[in-house]
Amino acid sequence: MTVDAPAPPTRRAMVSPRGGTIARRGSVYLSRHPRVRLSLLLGAPLFWLGLVYIAALAALLITALWTVDSFTGQISQTWTLDNIVAVLTGSLYQAVTLRTVGVALLVTIIDIGIALPIAFYMAKVASPRAQRMLVIAILMPLWASYLVKAYAWRSVLSQGGIFEWLVSPFGGQSPGYGLPATIITLSYLWLPYVILPIYAGLERVPDSLLEASADLGGGTWSTLRLVVLPMIWPAIIAGSIFSFSLSLGDYITVNIVGGANQMLGNLVYTNVGAANNLPLAAAIALIPILIIFAYLAAVRRTGALNNL
Amino acid sequence: MNGAQPAIRLTGLTKSFGSVNAVDGVDLDIAPGEFFSMLGPSGSGKTTVLRLIAGFEQPSSGTISLLGQDVTNRAPFDRDVNTVFQDYALFPHMSVLDNVAYGLRVRGVAKRARQEQARAALDTVRLSGFADRKPSQLSGGQRQRVALARATVVQPKVLLLDEPLGALDLKLREQMQVELKELQRNLGITFIFVTHDQQEALTLSDRIAVFNEGRIEQLGTPSEIYERPASSFVAAFVGTSNIFDSSISQALLGRGGVHSVRPEKISVTTENLPLVADRTAAGVLAEVIYVGSSTQLIVDLDAGTRVVALEQNDAHRVATNERGARITIGWNDSDIVTLADSSLTSHP
């Protein structure tokens, strides 16, 4: 029974494409040629990635295959596997590699252990206001200089420092400078990088899933083990990639609080600087790269990277 | 309730969020095996009552008993009630079978036994072929059925359903209504069904509680709620009603107070034809809306109010479709319902 009023014809005419400006014609061209659009979009970043990242890595690999003239100190571009063999077989390099991986693993485990309850509190318990405050509190240390934080820990862990003052009533004592101090300091430094992805992962777990688990009879532990952890596993892995790879490459913290201990970064640093042996430094630098590749490959098998 | 323990008994149940009472002193007995609906607009407190029964929220005061046992302070996993969530809340990382078996798994049922029971539960919702899929590979209606199987496989005393059909389209919803009713009859457990869809509540329920502002406005069978609404809120919320305030009632019915009459109880005829009815009134046809099996007539009465009448489009229909025509409407006194509240002005 209703009668359609004729649509005002002018509206249609106004939105129809006119030949128009160059910008407009450009837009029309781009919207009809998705490949051109894509290459314009990705060209610059891909060029940057190719030049700076891939080329630098390739240069590193090539340098590792050269050698240094021990008399002149000049790099001689004769191809040799000597550096690689030295790094793979030398007991010093093996010991330092194991130590570095051990430190990185411990730092990662400690950080995940601390990050899980904090992130859970932030995402699922705290009020929106407290949540915002906590995010700021966690980001805040990132605004301070890395060096300042490392030296702050040096002071905290020193003899007669805050740490000793805190634990001495309970019969404890400061670990002093060494690997434990390195692990503590690195755990502190990388903690925000582990909390934030886990927090983001927990935010994506709907509350109704936790309620559903409880509703079906799942206690706290069952819910954590069967629902929460499997769902935030990719986020945990993402956080662990940060803490693990950042620890693997670190050489400043261990210099400041590590006493006489060396990590792979220190060996690279010494060989680039004091020893003036760039090819050997390059060969050593390949170790953490290989370890990270192995780590990523292992992580990939868990399927965690599919959800990053 | 025939001497037996009620499946659910709520006494003085109150839940405040800040200064707002979302649930405001609800007393309610729900019988075992009953299909009970809580109907109300959003924010009326019906979902909060459901969450209180499930244990997701703690009441500010009052108690909740399940088959005579006080469960007010028990954790959700310690109550013999299960919930079908509005968003289904299926675990996305588990297969359909693992989802359904979850409640058995956390109860420590061995793998083989729990998978067998879960498959049987999937059979009852006709999803046997979907056991190995992930929830994301299912349609809305299928997810709904998985949620039902998951909640019923642990054999709860009471099943809570939080607007479970809200996300489905109309056809699927009507089909699921039938399935729900059958499932409830076969399982014989108490269903507490939260909905804002009055049609759904009327179709499915043994009894309905109509919620408004945290209180139960009326409690009764679907026909009681529909035929004899207790207040103008119920009359307006459940179905369509013509509500006459005191002065209009005086003019049309010859007595004060607020009254209502359903559109389908009003008969309509053109002015010069006789009408068999206890009372008649004359007016002008303002609008005619064709709705398929029936036609809705909106009439401006000479008494100064607007009423809606619903005429079946059958062979006997005599009223005109001409807007502006003078017509006569009539109704029987037995179809007039006196409403409890007197404060109300006339309904549009």
Side-chain angles (χ1 to χ4, degrees):
Chain A
M1 54 150 266
T2 55
V3 182
D4 273 11
T10 46
R11 290 295 299 171
R12 289 214 147 215
M14 278 169 70
V15 287
S16 75
R18 311 157 287 169
T21 59
I22 292 176
R24 192 181 177 86
R25 260 180 280 166
S27 301
V28 170
Y29 178 81
L30 283 181
S31 79
R32 295 203 180 134
H33 297 83
R35 278 173 188 280
V36 177
R37 204 164 68 212
L38 193 68
S39 58
L40 278 177
L41 187 69
L42 291 182
L46 278 181
F47 176 74
W48 178 254
L49 193 72
L51 187 76
V52 174
Y53 193 74
I54 311 282
L57 261 183
L60 190 72
L61 183 67
I62 291 166
T63 314
L65 297 172
W66 290 338
T67 184
V68 164
D69 189 314
S70 55
F71 186 64
T72 61
Q74 295 292 315
I75 293 177
S76 74
Q77 301 183 351
T78 45
W79 301 97
T80 167
L81 285 172
D82 285 357
N83 292 317
I84 309 275
V85 171
V87 165
L88 287 180
T89 55
S91 59
L92 169 72
Y93 303 115
Q94 287 171 352
V96 173
T97 301
L98 281 180
R99 184 186 304 144
T100 307
V101 171
V103 166
L105 278 178
L106 271 172
V107 167
T108 301
I109 291 166
I110 290 170
D111 273 351
I112 291 173
I114 300 173
L116 277 176
I118 294 180
F120 190 86
Y121 178 80
M122 285 166 65
K124 294 293 164 209
V125 184
S127 67
R129 192 186 140 81
Q131 203 171 335
R132 280 195 297 276
M133 299 299 286
L134 278 166
V135 171
I136 293 170
I138 281 155
L139 287 174
M140 196 94 83
L142 297 180
W143 300 340
S145 153
Y146 171 102
L147 274 179
V148 171
K149 287 180 284 185
Y151 274 111
W153 271 101
R154 185 182 167 90
S155 138
V156 166
L157 295 168
S158 65
Q159 277 194 336
I162 299 171
F163 192 90
E164 201 161 86
W165 174 77
L166 264 177
V167 298
S168 59
F170 311 103
Q173 54 181 359
S174 171
Y177 302 136
L179 284 183
T182 309
I183 291 166
I184 291 173
T185 308
L186 288 176
S187 302
Y188 167 81
L189 286 172
W190 312 142
L191 187 59
Y193 299 103
V194 184
I195 292 180
L196 289 178
I198 295 180
Y199 164 66
L202 277 166
E203 279 272 88
R204 286 199 297 268
V205 177
D207 290 351
S208 67
L209 291 189
L210 307 186
E211 288 178 351
S213 173
D215 189 67
L216 291 162
T220 312
W221 174 241
S222 302
T223 304
L224 274 182
R225 191 170 57 91
L226 299 174
V227 178
V228 177
L229 281 181
M231 286 194 71
I232 62 165
W233 186 239
I236 295 176
I237 295 292
S240 82
I241 289 172
F242 283 121
S243 65
F244 186 76
S245 57
L246 287 170
S247 300
L248 215 54
D250 185 83
Y251 69 100
I252 299 176
T253 297
V254 70
N255 260 350
I256 295 174
V257 298
N261 289 296
Q262 285 194 314
M263 302 214 327
L264 282 172
N266 303 94
L267 294 185
V268 175
Y269 183 72
T270 327
N271 276 305
V272 172
N276 191 27
N277 191 341
L278 199 57
L280 185 61
I284 298 169
L286 288 175
I287 300 175
I289 292 174
L290 285 178
I291 294 172
I292 286 290
F293 269 121
Y295 187 72
L296 287 178
V299 162
R300 213 179 99 99
R301 291 181 68 94
T302 71
L305 295 180
N306 303 341
N307 299 316
L308 275 188
Chain B
M1 299 270 139
N2 307 329
Q5 290 281 15
I8 291 283
R9 167 168 284 172
L10 310 177
T11 38
L13 198 65
T14 299
K15 174 69 180 175
S16 335
F17 295 105
S19 59
V20 185
N21 279 355
V23 178
D24 197 359
V26 167
D27 296 296
L28 185 62
D29 277 5
I30 298 171
E34 196 173 11
F35 198 123
F36 190 89
S37 288
M38 301 201 278
L39 174 67
S42 57
S44 60
K46 58 191 191 305
T47 297
T48 310
V49 170
L50 196 80
R51 292 176 59 79
L52 287 165
I53 297 173
F56 303 140
E57 312 270 359
Q58 278 295 302
S60 309
S61 64
T63 58
I64 301 163
S65 307
L66 173 64
L67 291 166
Q69 268 194 320
D70 187 349
V71 297
T72 315
N73 294 315
R74 291 224 200 133
F77 50 81
D78 219 11
R79 301 185 184 199
D80 241 355
V81 298
N82 282 115
T83 309
V84 175
F85 291 82
Q86 190 170 11
D87 63 352
Y88 315 140
L90 300 179
F91 305 122
H93 58 290
M94 292 182 196
S95 69
V96 165
L97 188 69
D98 287 344
N99 260 288
V100 176
Y102 185 84
L104 302 166
R105 182 173 180 186
V106 296
R107 280 170 175 75
V109 177
K111 187 166 187 173
R112 186 179 287 264
R114 69 174 184 246
Q115 290 198 341
E116 211 163 282
Q117 291 181 52
R119 281 187 200 283
L122 280 175
D123 269 346
T124 63
V125 294
R126 297 186 286 109
L127 279 179
S128 0
F130 297 84
D132 298 326
R133 301 240 187 134
K134 287 280 170 68
S136 57
Q137 296 166 305
L138 300 182
S139 72
Q142 290 167 337
R143 284 180 213 181
Q144 169 67 72
R145 298 215 287 265
V146 175
L148 272 170
R150 185 179 69 172
T152 49
V153 75
V154 290
Q155 299 176 325
K157 301 282 190 299
V158 175
L159 189 68
L160 309 172
L161 302 106
D162 184 8
E163 308 225 5
L165 310 181
L168 306 179
D169 60 46
L170 185 64
K171 267 270 175 274
L172 201 52
R173 199 152 70 208
E174 286 169 350
Q175 183 194 333
M176 282 304 297
Q177 286 178 4
V178 177
E179 284 187 29
L180 267 182
K181 191 78 187 169
E182 279 176 0
L183 187 70
Q184 192 256 348
R185 214 172 284 132
N186 295 341
L187 295 173
I189 58 177
T190 313
F191 273 36
I192 303 181
F193 187 89
V194 160
T195 182
H196 62 263
D197 183 332
Q198 41 101 10
Q199 199 59 53
E200 210 164 83
L202 292 173
T203 315
L204 291 173
S205 320
D206 296 324
R207 280 196 307 156
I208 300 173
V210 182
F211 277 74
N212 185 29
E213 293 179 341
R215 295 169 177 278
I216 294 179
E217 192 89 10
Q218 189 176 358
L219 180 66
T221 64
S223 68
E224 282 167 5
I225 298 277
Y226 187 80
E227 307 280 346
R228 297 282 141 190
S231 67
S232 56
F233 174 82
V234 176
F237 187 75
V238 182
T240 314
S241 285
N242 296 297
I243 300 179
F244 305 137
D245 65 12
S246 212
S247 59
I248 297 292
S249 291
Q250 197 72 53
L252 289 175
L253 311 167
R255 57 187 150 151
V258 182
H259 296 87
S260 80
V261 60
R262 293 289 183 189
E264 66 273 17
K265 305 288 188 190
I266 296 179
S267 31
V268 180
T269 183
T270 39
E271 203 176 28
N272 45 8
L273 288 172
L275 191 64
V276 186
D278 293 352
R279 282 171 198 276
T280 58
V284 175
L285 190 56
E287 194 63 74
V288 179
I289 299 162
Y290 178 73
V291 281
S293 63
S294 56
T295 301
Q296 212 176 39
L297 304 169
I298 297 172
V299 184
D300 283 331
L301 292 182
D302 299 343
T305 189
R306 175 170 273 199
V307 298
V308 179
L310 202 63
E311 287 286 278
Q312 288 303 312
N313 288 338
D314 55 19
H316 310 294
R317 187 160 177 265
V318 286
T320 173
N321 277 346
E322 203 176 314
R323 276 182 288 168
R326 289 208 50 88
I327 59 172
T328 303
I329 67 166
W331 58 83
N332 291 326
D333 283 340
S334 57
D335 293 327
I336 295 290
V337 181
T338 308
L339 302 177
D341 44 350
S342 51
S343 61
L344 197 99
T345 51
S346 76
H347 190 62

